[in-house]
Amino acid sequence: MKAAQIKKYSRNIQTSLCEIPVPEIGDSEVLVKVKAAAVNPLEILILTGSVKLIQDYSMPLTLGNECSGIVEKVGSRVKGFQKGDRVYTRLPLSKIGAFAEYVAVDQHALAKMPEGYDFSAAAAIPLTGLTAYQGIVEELEAKPGETVLIPGGSGSFGQMAVPIAKALGLRVIVTGNARAEERLVSLGADQYIDYKKENYWEKLSEIDYVIDTLGTSEFEHELSVLKKGGRLLSLRTGPNKAFAVRNHFSGLKKVLFTLAGSKYDKAARKQGKEYRFMFVRSDGAQLRKITEIVEKQHIVPAVDSRVFSLSQVNDALQLVAKGSLNGKVIIQTAKEELS
């Protein structure tokens, strides 16, 4: 089968289209014929080695973290899936490889696609959907009626996070560009702030939670709008001691992450607030809950109009690296009908 691989970490965005064996599946795994795979900034972080302290990979490595497709074969202990099922997944972090014609997936990372969705739309859901769900439910432990602010939430993450947060009973405030306002409000955002017209930190205060998508440059502003006891969850700024402890990392990594996150932890504690960092993991049970929300609220993630083949993975990665997208960038593994 064909797969887009890297042979080593590199600052250059460059993959090779290789011919490799179709993966063998274990007793609890499912062989999926990939129809569509989404391209995320995470792919670039992995390719460049930026996350190797969190997850280091053996080489050569097939890239790709989320995909949709059709079940080709199931292991002897697999329950709930059979050949021909339309499925989607955020692959386990230690076993990625969606940029390929086939992928072996643990059954506990897999869910059936939302009813009536095509493969491209389905492939754009798992990573951002699980990030939003795990962030709100596990990290923030948010309760109905509380308020969450998502600075820079007008992209693909916000388009999943807003309706999921609303389904969980939260009040949602988003900052972003003017062209995304109508879509985010239609998805349920209670307040939308155009960052070019207004500074959210001059308008907001006593916010229960902030989900950071922008990184270190926004840390002080995000922290300033939180109430005492509030929680700032970052997807970008960097890991800390609590992240290392929750993920059961080794002693050395705990030391490194404690040092890396100490200034953020100290700044938050000084104001009586808490800083957290997360890295999304696969979870089929949670993905099924997200599927229910997606179907009930008819959430269709935006997909960029430029669709790429496996031989064009480098072009797709370059496009994502540049930003300014109109939705998730999709790799189609075949020229077959994707509906």
Side-chain angles (χ1 to χ4, degrees):
M1 69 171 187
K2 293 180 173 61
Q5 294 190 320
I6 58 171
K7 293 188 173 74
K8 63 179 181 179
Y9 297 123
S10 172
R11 287 292 164 187
N12 298 319
I13 297 175
Q14 186 68 41
T15 67
S16 300
L17 188 61
C18 304
E19 193 71 37
I20 63 173
V22 173
E24 298 287 335
I25 59 169
D27 292 343
S28 296
E29 289 186 314
V30 174
L31 182 66
V32 176
K33 180 177 176 62
V34 178
K35 289 289 193 173
V39 186
N40 298 279
L42 177 56
E43 267 72 61
I44 296 164
L45 294 175
I46 291 172
L47 183 152
T48 57
S50 300
V51 296
K52 64 181 177 182
L53 273 179
I54 295 174
Q55 179 65 53
D56 199 3
Y57 290 98
S58 299
M59 299 292 165
L61 172 68
T62 302
L63 293 177
N65 281 271
E66 63 179 338
C67 63
S68 62
I70 298 175
V71 172
E72 185 83 4
K73 185 179 178 183
V74 299
S76 60
R77 295 181 184 175
V78 171
K79 297 179 180 179
F81 298 102
Q82 60 185 4
K83 184 174 180 178
D85 284 346
R86 295 156 66 95
V87 294
Y88 69 155
T89 181
R90 186 275 189 260
L91 293 167
L93 187 60
S94 61
K95 200 173 180 183
I96 64 171
F99 296 169
E101 292 179 305
Y102 293 90
V103 65
V105 189
D106 186 282
Q107 64 177 329
H108 298 300
L110 201 60
K112 291 179 183 176
M113 279 171 42
E115 195 68 34
Y117 282 56
D118 64 27
F119 291 106
S120 292
I125 293 172
L127 194 71
T128 50
L130 285 167
T131 301
Y133 190 89
Q134 290 170 15
I136 293 166
V137 173
E138 298 177 354
E139 299 292 343
L140 298 180
E141 300 173 284
K143 298 176 179 64
E146 294 181 318
T147 299
V148 60
L149 166 68
I150 310 176
S154 55
S156 60
F157 172 73
Q159 289 172 18
M160 288 302 300
V162 169
I164 287 172
K166 294 302 295 181
L168 295 170
L170 299 179
R171 180 172 180 268
V172 186
I173 305 172
V174 176
T175 78
N177 56 58
R179 70 177 184 274
E181 180 173 1
E182 184 178 350
R183 178 171 176 80
L184 269 293
V185 170
S186 72
L187 290 170
D190 296 281
Q191 184 177 353
Y192 192 94
I193 299 172
D194 183 342
Y195 78 96
K196 289 188 176 179
K197 293 180 179 178
E198 299 176 292
N199 295 321
Y200 67 85
W201 58 90
E202 294 173 348
K203 291 193 65 175
L204 305 174
S205 62
E206 297 297 301
I207 300 294
D208 297 298
Y209 309 107
V210 174
I211 301 179
D212 161 57
T213 70
L214 300 172
T216 55
S217 63
E218 283 299 299
F219 177 78
E220 290 184 10
H221 290 147
E222 291 168 343
L223 199 62
S224 72
V225 302
L226 278 175
K227 69 177 186 181
K228 280 202 170 183
R231 213 170 256 179
L232 167 56
L233 171 64
S234 181
L235 312 178
R236 292 283 302 274
T237 295
N240 61 350
K241 180 180 179 180
F243 172 76
V245 170
R246 287 195 307 277
N247 288 276
H248 309 291
F249 286 124
S250 67
L252 177 58
K253 284 188 179 180
K254 283 179 182 174
V255 171
L256 291 172
F257 290 153
T258 298
L259 291 171
S262 62
K263 64 179 178 180
Y264 306 114
D265 286 334
K266 287 176 183 176
R269 281 197 302 268
K270 190 174 180 180
Q271 296 183 30
K273 303 164 186 178
E274 184 181 359
Y275 170 74
R276 288 202 174 191
F277 176 82
M278 71 167 284
F279 203 84
V280 65
R281 69 179 191 282
S282 60
D283 190 313
Q286 288 182 349
L287 191 53
R288 286 191 287 277
K289 292 179 181 178
I290 291 163
T291 304
E292 291 176 8
I293 295 172
V294 163
E295 289 178 338
K296 185 177 180 180
Q297 300 195 24
H298 307 291
I299 303 165
V300 181
V303 171
D304 197 272
S305 59
R306 293 159 288 190
V307 178
F308 298 85
S309 67
L310 277 174
S311 63
Q312 298 170 314
V313 166
N314 290 327
D315 295 331
L317 288 166
Q318 292 287 357
L319 183 61
V320 171
K322 290 175 184 174
S324 299
L325 301 169
N326 297 317
K328 278 281 187 87
V329 173
I330 300 295
I331 302 291
Q332 292 181 359
T333 58
K335 294 182 180 179
E336 302 164 82
E337 178 60 47
L338 290 184
S339 61

